[in-house]
Amino acid sequence: MSILTDKQLKYDTAYLRIAFEWAKLSHCERKKVGAIIVKDRMIISDGYNGTPTGFDNCCEDENNETKWMVLHAEANAILKVAASTQSTKGATLYITLSPCKDCSKLIHQSGITRVVYAKEYKDTTGLEFLAKAGVELLKLDIDETE
Ligand SMILES: [Zn+2]
């Protein structure tokens, strides 16, 4: 069990606030989620939920359902690293909403070892999976309106 120092908590809070700023950039109407990936105290990636590069920005179909092609914020952030020379091994993911079960698999498999999140998603299967996989989880209550 690692002890969260004041200094670490300050950094965690600051990075999570950046994730909230990134959430604002999402074109999705139903839900806006932001993610930041930090490694060795450097931001190596960022993401928000949205459609893939080159596709129409609109996330919802005519029935106001989220389009299947929309990528979640953490998936976008991880995939951005995959397309770069960086690695997510041992990195920390900061995300405004706790990951869904599909993204949890990506998080663990990409070598991310720590997840800091603000709000808890209604389905906690992802969090349970990450805990089982040995990924350190931290929930920080941040009010994004501050
Ligand atoms: Zn997801």
Side-chain angles (χ1 to χ4, degrees):
M1 192 81 186
S2 63
I3 297 158
L4 193 65
T5 60
D6 283 355
K7 192 180 170 190
Q8 185 62 53
L9 187 63
K10 266 182 200 167
Y11 279 112
D12 286 343
T13 305
Y15 286 131
L16 199 51
R17 283 193 196 283
I18 298 171
F20 272 110
E21 286 301 314
W22 243 253
K24 290 179 192 167
L25 299 174
S26 171
H27 296 279
C28 297
E29 301 290 337
R30 296 187 66 200
K31 200 175 281 175
K32 293 179 189 290
V33 182
I36 297 288
I37 296 176
V38 173
K39 188 176 174 176
D40 300 328
R41 291 175 57 193
M42 275 190 298
I43 295 172
I44 60 163
S45 192
D46 51 62
Y48 48 80
N49 56 322
T51 53
T53 310
F55 287 82
D56 182 58
N57 277 337
C58 183
C59 298
E60 289 82 18
D61 62 19
E62 58 277 6
N63 301 315
N64 199 32
E65 297 287 336
T66 301
K67 290 179 192 167
W68 68 266
M69 67 167 71
V70 169
L71 286 150
H72 288 175
E74 60 278 56
N76 263 329
I78 290 168
L79 293 169
K80 224 167 138 172
V81 181
S84 78
T85 55
Q86 292 274 5
S87 161
T88 46
K89 204 163 182 64
T92 297
L93 170 75
Y94 294 88
I95 186 153
T96 57
L97 182 69
S98 72
C100 72
K101 54 182 191 291
D102 287 318
C103 292
S104 297
K105 290 183 283 186
L106 299 179
I107 292 166
H108 172 51
Q109 200 71 355
S110 71
I112 289 171
T113 49
R114 192 164 179 261
V115 174
V116 180
Y117 64 97
K119 285 179 265 184
E120 197 165 276
Y121 182 55
K122 59 181 188 292
D123 180 0
T124 56
T125 311
L127 287 176
E128 287 155 24
F129 167 81
L130 288 170
K132 211 169 178 178
V135 175
E136 189 186 329
L137 301 171
L138 176 67
K139 185 181 189 300
L140 284 184
D141 291 308
I142 285 187
D143 184 356
E144 71 267 41
T145 58
E146 270 176 40

